[in-house]
Amino acid sequence: MAVERYNAPEREPHWQRVWEDADLFTAKTDSDRPKCYILEMFPYPSGRIHVGHSRNYTMGDVLARYKRAKGFNVLHPMGWDAFGMPAENAAMERKVHPGEWTRQNIAAMREQLKSMGFAIDWAREFATCDVDYYKHQQKLFADLLAKDLVYRKSSKVNWDPVDNTVLANEQVIDGRGWRSGALVEQRELTQWFFRITKYADELLEALGTLDQWPEKVRHMQANWIGRSEGALIRWALDKQTAPKGFKEVEVFTTRPDTLFGASFLAIAPDHPIAKAAAKDNPEIAAFAEECRRLGTSVADLESAEKKGIDTGIRVKHPFDADWLLPVWVANFVLMDYGTGAIFGCPSGDQRDLDFARAYDLPVIPVVLPPGADADAFEIGNEAVDGTGTMINSRFLDGLAPEAAFEEAISRLEKTKLGGKPAASRKVNFRLRDWGISRQRYWGCPIPIIHCDDCGVIPVPAKDLPVELPADATFDKPGNPLERHPTWKNVDCPKCGKAARRETDTMDTFVDSSWYFVRFTAPNAKTPVDPEAAAYWLPVDQYIGGVEHAILHLLYSRFFFRAISDAGHAPTGGANLREPFAALFTQGMVTHETYKSAKGAWLPPEAVTLEGDGNNRSARETETGAPVTIGSIEKMSKSKKNVIDLDAFIGNYGADTARWFVLSDSPPERDVIYTDVGVEGARRFVQRIWRLVNEMAEKSAAQGTEKPADFSPEATQLRRAVHKTLHNVGRNIEGLRFNVAVASLYELANILGSSLDKDSEGHPWALREAAEITVQMIAPMMPHLAEECWSRLGYNTLVTNQPWPEPEPALLVDDEITIAVQVNGKRRDELKIARDASKETVEAAALALETIVRVMEGRTPKKVIVVPQRIVNVVV
RNA sequence: GCGGACGUGGUGGAACUGGUAGACACACAGGACUUAAAAUCCUGAGACGGCAACGUCGUGCGGGUUCGAAUCCCGCCGUCCGCACCA
C-alpha cells in the first residue's frame, strides 16, 4: 500500500533522454498546424544559472509545452547574448581570453538548462559571438549604411584620463573611474549611429497596435520617444554683448504662449555660444568644465543641483526688440535635446522657477489659473501649469493657452529676422539616434576601413566577415583592437593604399536586435531567410524582464523595420513591422542578503539561520561568527544571494524548482526565494505521486467504457476535474501561473477525499480524474507527469498527448449560491436554481429568516437582483 | 530631476467586465497514526467584543461617485523600476 517516494533527481535525466531520443522539440516548418513562436529573452552567459534565471525560462516552457499539446507547431529556441563587457573584465582580471571564458560559461549553462527539462529546440542554438552570426550582422550593417540608416557624428563619452579608456556609465562611480579612481571627463569622439529617429513617428504610432503588450511598457516607450509639438524660435543676440561670429540663438519650445513670461535664456555648457563665451571668460570655462565632470548619464545630470552662470550675453525678445534678456549657461540644459537652448519661464515651469529663485531672476506670471484673482495673483515657490487665462502678455491677454500658442507662432512666422521668419512650427522628439560605437574588443567589429584619400569605406561583401583577432592582449585598459600590432592595418579596398580598420565594435544591443529573426533560420546563407521569417514571425509570446521595457524592445522594433527596408524583409512582409506580437514582463526571484562582520557578502549556503519572526539571527556555519541579515534583493552574483541550480536540482529535482517559481507570486511580480516555499513545492510533487498511485489502484482499468450514469458524488468529482481543467487552461494562456497552480492544489484536496468511494461510475471518474490531472501538470512538472503517466499504464509519452477538452455541461452548476445584502451589507446567502427568474430570486431572498430579522418589518424601497450574482435590498 | 508601476490577514497571494474580500499555499495551534520521531492525514483561525447566537470594524491614508468599491475618480503617503556605454 505504501508508495515509494518519487526520486526526482534520479528519474528526471531518464525522461530528458527519452524526449531527446524521440526528438520531440525540433521545430519544422510545417504549414498544416498553426505555428506558435515562444521566446524568452536569451541570457548573457555570465557563468552559472541560478534559480533566479530559471523563472522566465520555466514560464516560456510551460507555455511552449501547453501550446504543443494544443496542437500548435511550436518554435522554442535558445541562444546566448554572448558579447559584452564582463568577458573583457574577466580577461583582464583572470588572464583568460574573453572567447574562452564565454564558451566555458555557455557550456556550463547549457547543461544546466538541459537539466531543467526545457522543451527547447537545441538544434537552433547559437551565440552572438559566433563568427557565423556576427558576419551576417556585418552584412546588415553594410546594407543599412547603403540605405543611409547609419552615419557618423561626434558624440560624448565618459573618459578615464588615467586608464586612457572609455567607461560605461556603470563604470563611473560618483564621477570617478571604477578602476583608476580618476575624475571622469566628457570627451568628444566620432562615432557610428543608427538613424532610429527616422522611424520615430512609426514606432510611436504602431504602439497602438500592440494590444498584447503591457500597457505600462507601451506608455514608457511612448514617453521615451517623446513626441512634442512646438516651435523653433530664433532670438537675435544683442550686438554689444554677442561673441564674435554669432548673431542669433535658436530655441525649441512647446510653450510659445508663455513667451511674455520669459526671464532668461539658458544654453547647454557645450552649446557653441557657451564655448565661444568660455574662451573669453575663465569663469564660464571653469563652470563648463565642472559640468563635464558630471559624466554623460542623464540621471546624474538632471538630479544634480541646478546651477548656472550668466554669460553677460543678452538677447532681444522676439516680440519686443527693446526687451533684453540674459543668456545663462545652465547644467540642466542638454545639448542632445532640441537645440541645446531653452527660454526660461519661471512662472510656468518648476525647474525654471527654482533656477530663477536661486539666481534672483524675474518671475512674471502669464497664466492665471481658473478662479484666481488677477490683481492679487502671485507666484510663490510653485509654478503653475497649463490651464487658465493669459495675463501680462500684451496681445495674448485673455486667451486660453492653446489659443495663445497658435497666435504667438502665427505672429512670429510673419515676423522677419534677417530676412527669414523668426519662428517655425516643429515636431520634436526626445528620442535620439542610437549610438552603437563601443571602444572595446568583445563585440561585433564594425566592417569599415578608413583611408586617408578615400575616406570612410565599407568593407566589401567579399571580404566579410571581419573577424576579431584571437591574439589580442588584455593586460591593460583601453581597446585591445586599437593597440593590436597588425589587425587594423589593411589596404584600402578602393585605392589599394595602406589604410586602417575601424577599431570600434558594435553595441551588444545590436546583437539582440535581430537574434529572434535568426532563430527562424539559423543556418541560412543570408542573414534572414525570408520564407522562414514569414512563417514564424512575429514572435507569438516574448517573455523577459521589465528592465528591457525600453531599450532592447525599442531597438528591436526599429532594427526589424530597418533591415526589412534594407532588403531583408520576410516574404510578403509588407505588413509585418512588429517583431513581437505579445510581450510579458516577468518579475525577479529575490533572496535575503548576508554580510559577515567584516562586511563581505556571504552565500546562503554558508549561513545558518536561527529563530523566526522578529527574532531571527544568523551565524557563519563554519566559524559561528555573527552574520548581519540584509535586505531582500534580486538574486545576483555580486551580492552572492544566489541559489545555484545544480545544487537545487541535485536535492529536489527540476520539477520542484519549476513548480516553486510558478507558485504563489504573480509572474509579473518578484518572488522571494525561501526554503519553506521550496519545501511546499517538494511536498506537492510527492503528494501528486502518491495520489496518482492510489488512483491508479482504485480506478477503472485503462480503456474502460464510459458508464451511462454517474452517482451524484462521481458527478461532483467530474465537475471539479473539468472545472479545474477549464481554469488551468485559461490561466496558462493568460500566463497567470500562480492561479493555475492554486487551482491544482484545490483539485488535489478534492482528489484526496474522493479516493475511498465506490458508487456508480466512480472508478471511471477516478481514472478520468487521474489522467486529466497528469495532463494538466505536464507543462509545469513534465518529468513527474511522465512518471505518473506510465504508472497509469501507458507506454506513450504524456508530452505527446493532446490537451484534454473540458465537457461544457460539467462546467455549470444547476444550483448556485448568491449573496443577499441589505443596504449593501452582506447578511445571508441563498441557494437557488441557476436559471431562477428575478422574481423567484427576490421572493426567496426576502423570505430568508436573517433578512426578515434585519429588515425589522421595514418595507424595501428597492430590490436589486443581479442574476446569478447578488441580491441587494435597499430600505 | 524626469518617466513608469505597485500597496489586500502573521506571510506569499486570490477575487473574470464594480456584485459573498481573504480562494490556494506557507507559518501557527489542536488532534489522529507512531514506543518515539519524520512523513502523512483531520480540524481551527482577518481584527475587536461575546459562552454562544451574533454584532462592529476591515484591502496604505483622506475624500468622492454608486443600491453596492480591493476594483472607478481626486488628493496624499510609502516602496520598487528605467533614464540612452550593464545586459
Side-chain angles (χ1 to χ4, degrees):
Chain A
M1 176 69 193
V3 180
E4 220 171 290
R5 284 178 68 81
Y6 169 57
N7 188 341
E10 187 190 295
R11 296 303 292 155
E12 287 176 350
H14 165 74
W15 291 113
Q16 287 159 16
R17 264 195 311 276
V18 171
W19 296 327
E20 201 176 328
D21 292 347
D23 192 25
L24 297 188
F25 309 125
T26 305
K28 302 202 176 69
T29 306
D30 172 350
S31 50
D32 288 352
R33 289 176 297 156
K35 68 94 185 178
C36 187
Y37 184 178
I38 290 163
L39 184 65
E40 300 96 51
M41 291 179 184
F42 68 162
Y44 179 78
S46 56
R48 298 184 64 73
I49 298 237
H50 54 68
V51 175
H53 294 122
S54 71
R55 195 175 181 211
N56 75 326
Y57 308 121
T58 303
M59 291 177 189
D61 197 57
V62 172
L63 201 62
R65 286 174 175 270
Y66 171 79
K67 288 286 185 184
R68 205 172 160 277
K70 287 287 264 185
F72 285 88
N73 186 24
V74 171
L75 172 57
H76 185 215
M78 181 58 66
W80 310 95
D81 191 10
F83 276 136
M85 269 193 334
E88 225 160 319
N89 292 336
M92 238 183 288
E93 283 158 15
R94 296 179 225 172
K95 311 213 181 310
V96 51
H97 190 275
E100 192 186 321
W101 184 84
T102 304
R103 298 281 167 203
Q104 282 169 1
N105 289 345
I106 288 175
M109 289 170 75
R110 183 194 298 117
E111 285 318 300
Q112 290 187 295
L113 287 180
K114 286 192 171 177
S115 68
M116 283 293 283
F118 292 137
I120 286 169
D121 179 358
W122 284 104
R124 290 173 190 253
E125 176 195 0
F126 60 77
T128 55
C129 64
D130 296 344
V131 178
D132 198 49
Y133 181 76
Y134 74 69
K135 75 177 183 196
H136 294 295
Q137 191 163 304
Q138 292 176 340
K139 165 76 169 131
L140 292 175
F141 177 94
D143 292 345
L144 293 185
L145 185 65
K147 275 273 181 185
D148 191 35
L149 289 167
V150 187
Y151 67 101
R152 293 217 305 164
K153 73 170 178 187
S154 173
S155 163
K156 279 174 290 191
V157 294
N158 298 308
W159 181 257
D160 184 320
V162 169
D163 279 354
N164 287 314
T165 186
V166 177
L167 299 177
N169 282 339
E170 74 158 11
Q171 297 174 317
V172 179
I173 294 151
D174 296 329
R176 290 173 183 274
W178 66 335
R179 261 186 242 281
S180 70
L183 276 174
V184 167
E185 299 167 3
Q186 285 180 11
R187 193 176 261 209
E188 299 264 342
L189 284 184
T190 303
Q191 308 195 69
W192 291 95
F193 285 80
F194 284 161
R195 242 183 253 285
I196 188 172
T197 52
K198 194 179 168 192
Y199 291 84
D201 259 319
E202 192 191 330
L203 289 169
L204 181 64
E205 281 298 308
L207 284 174
T209 67
L210 297 174
D211 53 357
Q212 294 180 77
W213 279 42
E215 178 83 36
K216 65 169 175 179
V217 173
R218 285 185 287 161
H219 208 100
M220 282 162 88
Q221 291 211 353
N223 285 324
W224 186 260
I225 295 169
R227 184 182 197 275
S228 57
E229 290 179 14
L232 278 177
I233 300 176
R234 296 160 57 223
W235 301 60
L237 296 184
D238 163 49
K239 281 200 188 71
Q240 311 289 315
T241 55
K244 219 174 145 210
F246 290 93
K247 286 205 174 107
E248 60 177 60
V249 54
E250 201 171 31
V251 169
F252 174 77
T253 177
T254 57
R255 295 296 302 277
D257 47 310
T258 63
L259 264 171
F260 289 104
S263 60
F264 61 94
L265 243 62
I267 59 178
D270 40 357
H271 191 280
I273 293 179
K275 284 182 177 166
K279 263 188 205 143
D280 310 325
N281 184 329
E283 278 180 63
I284 298 175
F287 179 72
E289 194 51 40
E290 188 190 324
C291 293
R292 260 165 226 137
R293 293 257 164 71
L294 274 170
T296 61
S297 152
V298 175
D300 289 344
L301 295 180
E302 295 201 350
S303 49
E305 191 194 343
K306 306 290 165 281
K307 279 190 193 166
I309 184 166
D310 188 351
T311 57
I313 301 167
R314 296 293 175 264
V315 287
K316 294 175 183 173
H317 194 279
F319 285 125
D320 183 348
D322 295 331
W323 179 358
L324 294 183
L325 291 90
V327 176
W328 286 64
V329 175
N331 63 357
F332 59 86
V333 180
L334 307 175
M335 196 58 218
D336 291 320
Y337 185 72
T339 60
I342 62 156
F343 79 79
C345 174
S347 63
D349 182 286
Q350 193 59 44
R351 194 169 55 181
D352 294 349
L353 182 64
D354 295 342
F355 192 76
R357 292 293 186 221
Y359 293 103
D360 212 15
L361 293 158
V363 177
I364 312 156
V366 284
V367 179
L368 184 68
D373 176 10
D375 297 326
F377 184 66
E378 267 184 53
I379 299 285
N381 283 321
E382 279 188 34
V384 295
D385 59 2
T387 54
T389 318
M390 304 307 300
I391 52 170
N392 300 325
S393 295
R394 308 192 194 178
F395 52 85
L396 299 175
D397 281 352
L399 294 176
E402 297 75 27
F405 179 105
E406 290 301 321
E407 179 64 18
I409 297 185
S410 311
R411 288 213 185 202
L412 286 173
E413 281 174 329
K414 288 175 207 139
T415 310
K416 296 281 189 231
L417 185 65
K420 287 182 286 181
S424 56
R425 284 167 203 274
K426 158 105 180 168
V427 173
N428 192 52
F429 290 94
R430 209 185 73 98
L431 181 69
R432 310 196 300 253
D433 277 334
W434 172 14
I436 60 150
S437 288
R438 298 291 181 270
Q439 295 69 37
R440 283 186 242 291
Y441 169 82
W442 195 232
C444 171
I446 294 176
I448 289 290
I449 292 164
H450 299 274
C451 170
D452 288 337
D453 294 346
C454 310
V456 178
I457 309 290
V459 175
K462 66 173 174 57
D463 296 337
L464 291 180
V466 176
E467 284 193 47
L468 288 169
D471 57 346
T473 55
F474 303 94
D475 49 344
K476 53 185 174 217
N479 185 352
L481 292 180
E482 185 70 43
R483 63 169 178 258
H484 190 279
T486 55
W487 182 79
K488 68 177 170 182
N489 300 325
V490 66
D491 293 340
C492 172
K494 210 167 169 186
C495 68
K497 271 182 39 177
R500 299 168 314 282
R501 285 195 189 284
E502 171 69 61
T503 55
D504 284 355
T505 51
M506 292 186 212
D507 179 5
T508 56
F509 273 125
V510 181
D511 313 338
S512 55
S513 286
W514 71 288
Y515 77 105
F516 48 87
V517 184
R518 190 69 191 163
F519 273 144
T520 67
N523 300 314
K525 296 270 187 293
T526 50
V528 178
D529 174 340
E531 297 279 335
Y535 176 72
W536 288 112
L537 292 173
V539 174
D540 295 280
Q541 183 65 60
Y542 197 32
I543 301 175
V546 234
E547 66 272 22
H548 296 292
I550 297 178
L551 294 180
H552 162 60
L553 288 165
L554 190 63
Y555 289 156
S556 297
R557 294 178 63 221
F558 153 71
F559 201 69
F560 185 58
R561 286 170 165 81
I563 62 175
S564 291
D565 293 344
H568 300 279
T571 307
N575 298 318
L576 183 55
R577 302 292 273 177
E578 287 296 340
F580 312 116
L583 172 70
F584 186 82
T585 55
Q586 104 283 354
M588 311 288 172
V589 178
T590 59
H591 193 285
E592 272 182 347
T593 49
Y594 306 106
K595 243 182 190 178
S596 72
K598 287 177 195 148
W601 299 107
L602 296 170
E605 62 269 19
V607 173
T608 306
L609 294 167
E610 288 150 359
D612 54 18
N614 291 328
N615 297 319
R616 295 176 70 237
S617 63
R619 286 184 294 108
E620 284 188 52
T621 309
E622 272 191 24
T623 62
V627 167
T628 314
I629 301 178
S631 59
I632 295 172
E633 304 201 39
K634 170 181 152 186
M635 281 192 183
S636 75
K637 248 166 80 172
S638 61
K639 301 220 166 113
K640 295 202 175 156
N641 59 338
V642 294
I643 302 294
D644 185 71
L645 199 61
D646 286 357
F648 189 103
I649 292 178
N651 279 335
Y652 298 100
D655 284 338
T656 298
R658 297 169 64 113
W659 190 255
F660 169 72
V661 296
L662 295 170
S663 301
D664 286 347
S665 264
E668 68 276 12
R669 234 185 272 178
D670 290 351
V671 59
I672 303 172
Y673 180 96
T674 58
D675 290 337
V676 287
V678 172
E679 282 302 328
R682 196 244 294 263
R683 268 204 296 274
F684 190 69
V685 169
Q686 295 300 336
R687 190 161 164 218
I688 289 287
W689 175 240
R690 276 196 315 273
L691 270 175
V692 171
N693 273 279
E694 292 190 42
M695 287 162 93
E697 276 172 33
K698 292 174 180 169
S699 63
Q702 186 197 322
T704 306
E705 201 180 325
K706 183 178 175 183
D709 290 304
F710 290 95
S711 68
E713 66 184 19
T715 304
Q716 212 181 351
L717 172 61
R718 297 196 66 221
R719 277 190 199 285
V721 169
H722 283 257
K723 278 183 186 171
T724 307
L725 176 57
H726 176 74
N727 284 334
V728 168
R730 207 167 47 95
N731 286 315
I732 289 179
E733 300 225 14
L735 293 95
R736 291 177 296 270
F737 303 111
N738 58 323
V739 188
V741 163
S743 44
L744 284 167
Y745 270 114
E746 213 167 344
L747 181 65
N749 291 338
I750 294 168
L751 293 180
S753 55
S754 304
L755 283 172
D756 295 317
K757 296 182 176 159
D758 192 20
S759 49
E760 188 172 16
H762 201 269
W764 193 91
L766 260 189
R767 166 152 288 270
E768 182 193 36
E771 291 185 357
I772 292 182
T773 301
V774 170
Q775 286 184 271
M776 284 193 291
I777 62 160
M780 307 190 215
M781 300 194 284
H783 313 85
L784 174 66
E786 293 293 2
E787 198 73 27
C788 290
W789 192 248
S790 65
R791 181 67 191 80
L792 286 173
Y794 288 99
N795 51 19
T796 54
L797 292 173
V798 68
T799 303
N800 276 335
Q801 300 308 306
W803 190 255
E805 286 303 320
E807 287 180 23
L810 291 171
L811 298 181
V812 287
D813 293 313
D814 302 332
E815 193 174 56
I816 55 169
T817 308
I818 61 177
V820 182
Q821 302 180 328
V822 176
N823 284 342
K825 191 167 280 188
R826 191 190 84 96
R827 292 297 177 174
D828 205 348
E829 50 187 37
L830 179 66
K831 271 196 175 166
I832 200 154
R834 215 180 96 81
D835 50 4
S837 70
K838 269 194 172 189
E839 292 72 25
T840 319
V841 173
E842 180 174 335
L846 289 173
L848 285 169
E849 226 174 280
T850 329
I851 301 305
V852 172
R853 181 171 49 78
V854 174
M855 298 277 292
E856 295 169 328
R858 291 171 293 185
T859 2
K861 217 184 270 172
K862 197 157 121 190
V863 180
I864 291 152
V865 180
V866 182
Q868 296 171 45
R869 289 239 178 243
I870 206 165
V871 178
N872 190 7
V873 184
V874 187
V875 292

